[in-house]
C-alpha cells in the first residue's frame, strides 16, 4: 500500500496548476468528458468483483493537472470521499504509487516527494536538489506552500531538522531561494564569481559560504554564464574540478546542482537510466521522473535517453516493467499499446 498523504482539495485551491508544456508527452483527447462523466466512469471502475485498472488509466493518464484537480473536487462532492482514498482501496503496488502521485497537483506531489526524501534522508539522496533546481522560482514557491499546508511545518524547517553539517548549509538556502528567472546577466559578477569559485575549489574549501551562496541563489542564466566563464578561463569544466574525490557525497551534490541547472533533461535521463540499469529496477525513481515530467519536458528526456542508449525510453520501460504499472507509465509517455 502506497503511503500518499491525502491533502484537502480546498487547501490546494489557491495554488496555481501549471499549464501543460509543448514538451509534455501525455495525450489529452480533443473532446474531454466533463469531470462528472469522468467521475462516473471511475466509480464504475471501482465497482464489482474486480477493479478495472485500464479504465482508470484511460481517464487519469489522459487528463491535465487542472482537469485532474476538477475530477477530484467533483468526485469528493458527488461521493463524499476523496478520489485518492478510493484509489488506495482499489489498487496496489507500483501501479498504485504511480497513479496516486500522478493524480496529485504538481506542487503537492513535490511536497510529498520532498517529505519522503527527508524522512529517509541520506547524503546520496538527490531528490531535494532535483526539485529545487528543475522547477522555476514560482513552482518552487508553490511547493513550499503545499508543504506547509500538508505538514504544518515549513520545508526549510524540515530540511534543517533532517540534515546536518555541510548538507544543511547547502540545502536550506537551495530550497528557500527565489531565484531571478530572467535572462539579464552581470558580466562583472560572472568574472568575479568564477574567480572566487576557482579559488575555493583549488583550496578544497567546498563548503565555503560564498561558494554555497553562488550555487544556491544565482539565477540560472547567471550561474550558467559563470560556469562557462570558469571553463574558458581555467581550462577545465567546473564539474571535473569538483570530482577530486568521487566518493565525496557533498561534491556529488554540488555537481548535481550544476547538471540540473545546465541541462535538466540529461540529468533526469541519467536518473531513469540508473533506475532501469542492472538486475533490479528502482521503481521509486522511475515513477518519480515519469509522473513529475510527463506534463513538463518528458519529450526532451526521451530524446536524451535515445541519444545516450540507442533505445527508446518506451521500449526500455516496457522491457523492465509489467502489468498495469507498465501500462500507466507508457500511457504517460503518450502510448497506449502497453
Amino acid at each position: 500500500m502506497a503511503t500518499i498523504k491525502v491533502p484537502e482539495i480546498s487547501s490546494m485551491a489557491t495554488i496555481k496548476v501549471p499549464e501543460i508544456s509543448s514538451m509534455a508527452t501525455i495525450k489529452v483527447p480533443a473532446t474531454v468528458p466533463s469531470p462528472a462523466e469522468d467521475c462516473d466512469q471511475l466509480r464504475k471502475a471501482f465497482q464489482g468483483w474486480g477493479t478495472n485498472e485500464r479504465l482508470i488509466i484511460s481517464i487519469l493518464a489522459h487528463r491535465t493537472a487542472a482537469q485532474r484537480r476538477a475530477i477530484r473536487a467533483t468526485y469528493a462532492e458527488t461521493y463524499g470521499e476523496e478520489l485518492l482514498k478510493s484509489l488506495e482501496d482499489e489498487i496496489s503496488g507500483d501501479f498504485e504509487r504511480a497513479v496516486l502521485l500522478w493524480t496529485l497537483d504538481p506542487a503537492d506531489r513535490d511536497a510529498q516527494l520532498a517529505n519522503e526524501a527527508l524522512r529517509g534522508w541520506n547524503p546520496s539522496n538527490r531528490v531535494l536538489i532535483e526539485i529545487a533546481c528543475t522547477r522555476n522560482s514560482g513552482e518552487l514557491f508553490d511547493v513550499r506552500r503545499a508543504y506547509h499546508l500538508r505538514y504544518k511545518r515549513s520545508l526549510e524547517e524540515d530540511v534543517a531538522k533532517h540534515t546536518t553539517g555541510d548538507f544543511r548549509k547547502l540545502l536550506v538556502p537551495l530550497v528557500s531561494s527565489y531565484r531571478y528567472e530572467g535572462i539579464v546577466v552581470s558580466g562583472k559578477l560572472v568574472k568575479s564569481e568564477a574567480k572566487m569559485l576557482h579559488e575555493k575549489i583549488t583550496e578544497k574549501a567546498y563548503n565555503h559560504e560564498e561558494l554555497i551562496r553562488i550555487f544556491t541563489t544565482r539565477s540560472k542564466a547567471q550561474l550558467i554564464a559563470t560556469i562557462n566563464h570558469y571553463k574558458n578561463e581555467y581550462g577545465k569544466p567546473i564539474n571535473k574540478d569538483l570530482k577530486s574525490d568521487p566518493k565525496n557525497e557533498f561534491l556529488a551534490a554540488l555537481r548535481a546542482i550544476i547538471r540540473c541547472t545546465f541541462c535538466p533533461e540529461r540529468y533526469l535521463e541519467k536518473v531513469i537510466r540508473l533506475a532501469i540499469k542492472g538486475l533490479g529496477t528502482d521503481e521509486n525513481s522511475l515513477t518519480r521522473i515519469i509522473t513529475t515530467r510527463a506534463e513538463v519536458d518528458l519529450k526532451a528526456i526521451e530524446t536524451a535517453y535515445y541519444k545516450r542508449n540507442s533505445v527508446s525510453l518506451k521500449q526500455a520501460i516496457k522491457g523492465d516493467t509489467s502489468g498495469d504499472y507498465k501500462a500507466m507509465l507508457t500511457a504517460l509517455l503518450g502510448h497506449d499499446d502497453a
Side-chain angles (χ1 to χ4, degrees):
M1 179 72 67
T3 55
I4 302 292
K5 180 180 171 64
V6 178
E8 295 180 9
I9 299 172
S10 60
S11 70
M12 296 300 297
T14 57
I15 296 180
K16 183 181 178 182
V17 177
E19 298 284 335
I20 188 169
S21 163
S22 62
M23 295 305 288
T25 52
I26 65 163
K27 299 287 179 64
V28 179
T31 303
V32 179
S34 69
E37 290 173 298
D38 279 340
C39 289
D40 180 62
Q41 289 299 304
L42 286 168
R43 196 67 173 181
K44 288 177 180 177
F46 303 150
Q47 294 172 341
W49 289 104
T51 304
N52 189 338
E53 289 86 355
R54 296 308 166 104
L55 181 55
I56 294 171
I57 294 170
S58 73
I59 297 169
L60 294 178
H62 297 281
R63 301 293 185 269
T64 66
Q67 291 162 350
R68 297 193 304 277
R69 175 187 278 188
I71 290 169
R72 284 180 60 198
T74 302
Y75 190 94
E77 182 179 344
T78 304
Y79 302 109
E81 184 177 57
E82 232 291 346
L83 175 59
L84 295 180
K85 179 65 171 62
S86 293
L87 288 166
E88 282 184 343
D89 291 342
E90 296 293 332
I91 58 180
S92 61
D94 296 319
F95 174 55
E96 177 190 3
R97 180 167 174 79
V99 172
L100 293 180
L101 281 175
W102 173 248
T103 306
L104 287 171
D105 278 356
D108 202 46
R109 181 198 303 133
D110 281 345
Q112 165 88 19
L113 293 168
N115 183 258
E116 289 176 355
L118 287 168
R119 285 188 288 110
W121 167 254
N122 69 77
S124 65
N125 191 307
R126 307 277 179 263
V127 174
L128 290 173
I129 291 172
E130 185 182 297
I131 292 171
C133 296
T134 63
R135 280 55 162 174
N136 64 38
S137 295
E139 290 166 346
L140 185 56
F141 180 75
D142 285 343
V143 174
R144 293 200 296 272
R145 290 178 65 197
Y147 196 98
H148 193 274
L149 288 168
R150 262 181 170 257
Y151 303 109
K152 313 307 178 191
R153 302 181 301 275
S154 71
L155 175 57
E156 300 92 322
E157 179 183 357
D158 274 3
V159 171
K161 175 183 176 181
H162 291 283
T163 62
T164 59
D166 292 341
F167 283 96
R168 180 184 291 166
K169 288 172 61 177
L170 178 70
L171 294 175
V172 170
L174 189 68
V175 301
S176 57
S177 178
Y178 194 90
R179 299 181 195 241
Y180 166 64
E181 291 290 339
I183 60 173
V184 176
V185 170
S186 165
K188 182 178 179 182
L189 276 179
V190 163
K191 293 177 181 178
S192 65
E193 293 190 341
K195 182 174 183 291
M196 182 184 299
L197 288 173
H198 186 259
E199 288 173 354
K200 300 310 171 189
I201 291 171
T202 301
E203 296 167 3
K204 299 189 183 300
Y206 306 118
N207 62 351
H208 192 277
E209 61 182 18
E210 288 300 297
L211 184 150
I212 289 175
R213 178 186 60 79
I214 294 167
F215 272 58
T216 59
T217 66
R218 288 300 182 210
S219 71
K220 181 176 181 178
Q222 185 73 41
L223 188 56
I224 288 174
T226 299
I227 300 308
N228 283 335
H229 183 77
Y230 183 105
K231 180 181 178 181
N232 294 336
E233 186 71 16
Y234 303 108
K236 192 188 295 185
I238 191 171
N239 264 11
K240 287 200 172 180
D241 283 344
L242 288 170
K243 225 169 184 178
S244 59
D245 180 0
K247 294 182 179 180
N248 186 313
E249 293 291 357
F250 186 73
L251 293 186
L254 294 178
R255 295 196 303 272
I257 291 172
I258 292 172
R259 290 200 304 271
C260 280
T261 302
F262 255 75
C263 197
E265 63 270 22
R266 286 177 59 188
Y267 177 84
L268 297 171
E269 177 280 323
K270 185 176 182 180
V271 174
I272 293 177
R273 173 162 36 95
L274 294 178
I276 294 174
K277 185 180 178 181
L279 296 176
T281 305
D282 177 0
E283 288 86 358
N284 276 346
S285 293
L286 180 60
T287 299
R288 183 181 76 250
I289 303 304
I290 299 300
T291 57
T292 58
R293 310 313 290 182
E295 288 178 283
V296 183
D297 58 358
L298 196 50
K299 281 183 182 177
I301 296 169
E302 278 189 297
T303 300
Y305 190 92
Y306 185 80
K307 185 176 181 180
R308 177 65 173 74
N309 304 284
S310 300
V311 63
S312 71
L313 181 55
K314 171 191 169 185
Q315 288 304 120
I317 288 176
K318 288 181 70 172
D320 222 60
T321 59
S322 61
D324 298 320
Y325 177 55
K326 176 176 73 173
M328 181 66 183
L329 295 189
T330 53
L332 294 178
L333 281 168
H335 305 282
D336 283 310
D337 55 347

